[in-house]
Amino acid sequence: MYAVCYGVLRCRVSCGVSDGGRRTTDQMCCVNRWPCVLVVLSEQQAIIAQRQHEAQVVNARRKKFEDLIPVLGEAPIHAFCSAKWQERVEGLDTIGRLLRAKMHAKRVMGDDAGIAQHCQNVMKLLHRALDDKVTPVYFATIDLLNVTIENGLPSDTDFVRAQLKPILPGMLKWMAVKNSRVQEKTLRAFVDMAQHQKIGIAFIAPVALTPYPVRQGQSAPSERVVETRMTLLLGLLPIGKGDKFPVDPTMKLILPALSSGVEKTRNMGVAAAAEVYRHHGKAVPSYTRTLPADVLRKLDKKFVAIDKARDAAGTWGWVGVG
């Protein structure tokens, strides 16, 4: 048990505990004879208060997700609304297992409308789940996204892209988390979507080309954000044709990496610029002329190697997946 004495500033904090915490609230302060309010909380009361707070959080989450219950089921949604992250992970995993079985049945029956409805509700859940700050919950969210893309997409490509669109910015934010496993899992998800027939690089590329977020009071993006964006570009540039990654917005993202004081980031920028050069050729050097000499030497070496390979093949560049 513990006691807290609320008096004026000169009142001793020890007031009310010198005799083992048995003083009553109508006693006077031991120093100044001012009334004190003595608050005594037992460990059991603290636990009850904590449980009440958790119950309020869970109820608020359940209210937020109650519109998804008719389609996704009460038990997994309630699990996902738990205050314990392990139960939230289990809720997402359960929805994934149920989705596989339901989508198989709907495809057998030719129920494309039912598939679309289920897909729409799962995407709503994924969009909201991306706000969870716990890394294992994010992993489970991406796993459910992968299951949905593999098993639960309807035939309407425009509908699929419309459902995915709100999810992608949240995934892009997670790319900047300082966790290599998060980066790898997010990059793999972006690449898989870019190569999927119903999604494609034309839909994913604009997300990768989103301008850098800059915090208030700063003139440049953080090193972490630039590095992780280079990771994403290096994963996607080999997939798409040049028109999917126009030279101007792409090079504007790469230039901060080429100017970075961190060698790893600069090298990633050089590699990304080389990929853009494969698509756009002589248009690229006009963006790099003001860079430091050592960076220019690395770029020139890359560009010359690409030109030689092009000349040997008798063609310009290569064609990626549209």
Side-chain angles (χ1 to χ4, degrees):
M1 300 175 68
Y2 64 95
V4 181
C5 176
Y6 292 91
V8 296
L9 291 176
R10 294 192 302 170
C11 178
R12 292 181 183 176
V13 175
S14 60
C15 176
V17 296
S18 59
D19 59 354
R22 292 188 294 274
R23 293 190 179 186
T24 60
T25 56
D26 60 353
Q27 283 187 288
M28 306 300 288
C29 174
C30 55
V31 177
N32 296 305
R33 307 297 295 170
W34 289 321
C36 298
V37 178
L38 185 62
V39 182
V40 180
L41 294 176
S42 67
E43 183 177 352
Q44 184 178 7
Q45 289 173 317
I47 292 173
I48 292 173
Q50 176 64 24
R51 288 177 177 173
Q52 289 175 339
H53 173 71
E54 290 179 354
Q56 291 174 350
V57 172
V58 169
N59 288 335
R61 288 176 64 89
R62 286 181 178 178
K63 186 174 181 180
K64 182 179 178 181
F65 290 93
E66 63 184 3
D67 59 313
L68 304 180
I69 290 176
V71 176
L72 302 182
E74 183 174 2
I77 291 297
H78 282 186
F80 177 70
C81 293
S82 171
K84 298 178 180 179
W85 68 262
Q86 295 91 338
E87 293 183 6
R88 299 202 295 277
V89 169
E90 179 58 31
L92 291 170
D93 290 345
T94 300
I95 291 171
R97 291 192 296 270
L98 293 174
L99 183 143
R100 286 190 180 93
K102 288 182 178 180
M103 293 305 99
H104 176 73
K106 290 182 183 296
R107 292 195 188 284
V108 170
M109 295 185 294
D111 184 9
D112 198 57
I115 293 173
Q117 182 188 21
H118 204 86
C119 173
Q120 185 176 43
N121 279 274
V122 172
M123 293 299 179
K124 287 180 182 178
L125 174 64
L126 292 172
H127 182 214
R128 300 171 191 178
L130 285 171
D131 291 333
D132 201 301
K133 304 302 182 184
V134 179
T135 299
V137 177
Y138 175 70
F139 287 158
T141 301
I142 297 301
D143 287 341
L144 179 55
L145 172 63
N146 293 336
V147 170
T148 305
I149 291 173
E150 181 182 351
N151 299 276
L153 297 184
S155 58
D156 188 339
T157 299
D158 291 337
F159 177 86
V160 169
R161 292 177 177 178
Q163 303 311 308
L164 281 169
K165 189 173 182 179
I167 295 172
L168 304 182
M171 293 175 61
L172 192 62
K173 289 181 181 179
W174 272 95
M175 274 289 293
V177 172
K178 194 174 182 179
N179 184 316
S180 60
R181 290 182 60 208
V182 169
Q183 279 193 42
E184 292 168 5
K185 198 172 188 69
T186 309
L187 175 61
R188 184 71 261 169
F190 272 120
V191 170
D192 288 345
M193 286 189 287
Q195 294 176 319
H196 196 282
Q197 184 178 5
K198 293 180 181 178
I199 305 171
I201 188 64
F203 179 69
I204 298 299
V207 180
L209 295 177
T210 302
Y212 288 122
V214 179
R215 294 180 180 178
Q216 188 174 6
Q218 294 182 343
S219 59
S222 69
E223 187 72 31
R224 187 70 184 173
V225 169
V226 173
E227 178 191 330
T228 54
R229 189 66 67 88
M230 291 304 101
T231 300
L232 181 58
L233 283 175
L234 288 171
L236 295 176
L237 278 167
I239 300 174
K241 299 177 183 178
D243 61 330
K244 305 302 187 299
F245 291 95
V247 63
D248 188 66
T250 309
M251 287 305 300
K252 284 180 178 178
L253 289 176
I254 294 173
L255 283 175
L258 293 171
S259 305
S260 172
V262 179
E263 184 177 7
K264 177 184 176 182
T265 307
R266 286 199 308 275
N267 290 339
M268 294 175 74
V270 169
E275 290 297 330
V276 179
Y277 186 82
R278 293 182 194 275
H279 294 300
H280 299 286
K282 302 301 182 181
V284 174
S286 63
Y287 290 87
T288 62
R289 289 169 183 163
T290 60
L291 293 171
D294 61 328
V295 178
L296 287 175
R297 284 193 294 269
K298 291 181 179 180
L299 287 171
D300 288 342
K301 187 177 180 179
K302 290 279 189 180
F303 296 164
V304 168
I306 292 170
D307 288 341
K308 286 182 177 179
R310 177 205 62 194
D311 293 340
T315 183
W316 171 255
W318 41 265
V319 177
V321 178

